[in-house]
Amino acid sequence: VTGVQTCALPILRDGLEGSVQAIDSDWGFVIVNVGEKDGARENGELLVSREGKLVGKLLISSVEDNRSIANVIPGWVQSDIQVGDAVAY
């Protein structure tokens, strides 16, 4: 098939772990304490958990050296995401 483009998700570093640092529930985004130095990449996905249970899923929209901004993916939210929740790739 010609003219078909695929969009591969970026590869994040295995073992990438951090936590939610701030939340803007009005706009549906969070700030996490993993950044480019940790292996975070734009359009990467992170799982959010609390006490070992899945809380939601994030899509990284912007990456800085030591933190990232990520949008909450609708349909993946099991509970309200809170400051301190764990994030992992």
Side-chain angles (χ1 to χ4, degrees), residues 18-23 30-32 48 58 81-87:
S19 62
V20 174
Q21 300 297 295
I23 303 165
V30 301
I31 298 173
V32 297
V48 183
L58 306 174
I81 295 173
Q82 300 174 7
V83 171
D85 285 347
V87 296

Side-chain angles (χ1 to χ4, degrees), residues 6-19:
T6 59
C7 181
L9 291 175
I11 304 298
L12 302 183
R13 191 181 77 204
D14 284 341
L16 179 66
E17 294 181 351
S19 62

Side-chain angles (χ1 to χ4, degrees), residues 59-80:
L59 179 66
I60 299 173
S61 59
S62 176
V63 180
E64 297 176 7
D65 282 348
N66 296 310
R67 67 180 181 174
S68 299
I69 297 171
N71 295 312
V72 177
I73 299 175
W76 277 89
V77 178
Q78 306 294 316
S79 178
D80 286 340

